[in-house]
Amino acid sequence: MGNRGDGLLAQLRRPPGGRDGRIMLLAQFLDRAGTGTWAASSVLYFTFVTRLDARQVGLLLGIAAVAGIAGSPLAGQLAERFPVRRLLIGCHLLRLGTMGLLLACDGFAALLPVMAVTCLAERGAKTLEMLFATRAAGERRSTYQALTRSAANAGYALGAGVAALGLAVGTVGAYQVLVLANALSFAVTAALVWRTREPRSAPGRVAAGAPTPTGPVAAPAPASETAPAPAGPAPRPWRDRGYLRFVLLDIPTNLDDSVLGVGLPLWLVEHTTAPHALVPAFLVLNTVLVVLLQLRLSAKAEGPHRAAGAVGLAGLAMFIGCALVALGTGGGAWSASAALLAAATVVTAAELMRSVSSWELAVSLAPDRSRASYLGVAGMSQSIQKSAGPLLLTGAVMTAGPAGWLTLGTAVAGLSLLQRRSCLRRLAAMRPAEGTATVEVAGGATDPLPATART
């Protein structure tokens, strides 16, 4: 499993997946740098360059986000028929093309399909990255996920800095340069992915005591050491009620993203006397904590059972964060500032635990034969949250005041405990009695399970 005592820099030099893992981490860093540049400037670009009003901007981004929900399951389905690497390159090139078209579009009707396709390709790319890492990193996928989060957040921070320079200039040309910078990141990212090798999917679950391949160049175990492929059609995620329950319950655990990006800033501005200059501190605090702590905390959630336990802790952290907002922001500017910074810290802790546990459980609860399509469905939880989360916070939580925050925290904590229990039950059902066994999944199909599931 590697040395858990290795620091972040050492792990980045020798990541799971070897050379290909290292290239993919660099690719994701550059991708997120471009995305961060666009995310920090997109609203102002639509306002000052394409001359959309606030209602049109909100509608444009909302509809595009809804279109992006389909990206994850579509990418999962395609990954069962085509090489993951080529599909990922295609997603990056598609986004390169839409960014180029963006510069030529003027008006809501022209921008809508461009932004919808951009979001679709973005969500598809993230699902394919997850599948690539799952195959390339093997059993060290939790460590790789932590490295991915650290690299991505560093990329977002760089992108936000680049955007700040362009926004300081404030001309139409400066905004267009920011769009081109985002497009350039996709071109370079596609070139980097081209340098990797297609990761191998496991040829079959390994029987008790058999060696487990953990990298793209690992040789498959001999046929005598692997369980025979189960007969019958491969299980389908849309017919697997247990997995769909996991995905459904994963949506509220992802609300930390909307709380940090939408809830805390708007609450500060509209319901407290805290200085508005504190808003960027939420992003800075979140980025620094993720880069510094994600790798360390990922070791605490290695394996499906630890990951299930981390889900409950993430829910508890969300409850504490929401309670801090509800109970700590009714005083003056100083007390409100302290409460909101403390809430941002605790919600970031929830994000750190949730990100690794969701990743690990999405992989562990999926049968190998249909893992690509299962992970595509799992990726929908983040997409749905990004679409519905801001509406929930602005339309219900903040409208209800402090009681709304307490209700949100209680609901997320309760659903997290339900998610934990549901995952543990499914894992218990998947545990083989001796050696390698099979478990019934969707439609009566069976999936052989690894001996490591007993631990």
Side-chain angles (χ1 to χ4, degrees), residues 14-240:
R14 299 185 302 275
R19 168 188 172 275
D20 291 338
R22 188 162 51 250
I23 293 175
M24 281 296 295
L25 287 173
L26 176 59
Q28 288 173 278
F29 167 77
L30 294 174
D31 179 355
R32 303 311 189 266
T35 301
T37 301
W38 172 242
S41 58
S42 58
V43 172
L44 295 180
Y45 177 89
F46 291 132
T47 302
F48 295 113
V49 178
T50 60
R51 302 297 179 182
L52 301 183
D53 59 37
R55 182 187 63 82
Q56 289 176 313
V57 172
L59 191 61
L60 174 67
L61 296 178
I63 295 176
V66 171
I69 294 174
S72 294
L74 178 60
Q77 289 290 336
L78 291 174
E80 291 193 343
R81 297 171 174 82
F82 304 101
V84 171
R85 173 174 156 271
R86 292 183 182 179
L87 290 172
L88 184 53
I89 292 172
C91 286
H92 292 318
L93 294 180
L94 183 58
R95 290 194 287 168
L96 170 63
T98 56
M99 284 295 104
L101 286 174
L102 185 67
L103 295 173
C105 291
D106 188 14
F108 180 86
L111 288 167
L112 182 58
V114 172
M115 292 308 302
V117 173
T118 300
C119 288
L120 186 78
E122 179 184 355
R123 295 310 308 173
K126 289 186 176 181
T127 296
L128 293 168
E129 288 170 348
M130 181 179 181
L131 183 57
F132 186 103
T134 299
R135 293 177 178 177
E139 292 187 353
R140 297 188 63 200
R141 55 181 174 263
S142 293
T143 298
Y144 190 91
Q145 163 68 349
L147 295 174
T148 296
R149 295 267 302 151
S150 297
N153 275 269
Y156 283 129
L158 174 62
V162 172
L165 295 176
L167 297 180
V169 177
T171 63
V172 171
Y175 282 110
Q176 292 173 335
V177 168
L178 294 178
V179 174
L180 289 174
N182 188 24
L184 178 61
S185 75
F186 299 142
V188 176
T189 299
L192 286 172
V193 176
W194 182 260
R195 293 185 57 204
T196 65
R197 294 160 292 188
E198 179 69 19
R200 295 181 185 176
S201 57
R205 292 283 197 175
V206 180
T212 303
T214 58
V217 296
S224 60
E225 294 181 349
T226 59
R236 299 287 89 188
W238 297 109
R239 297 182 179 180
D240 189 337

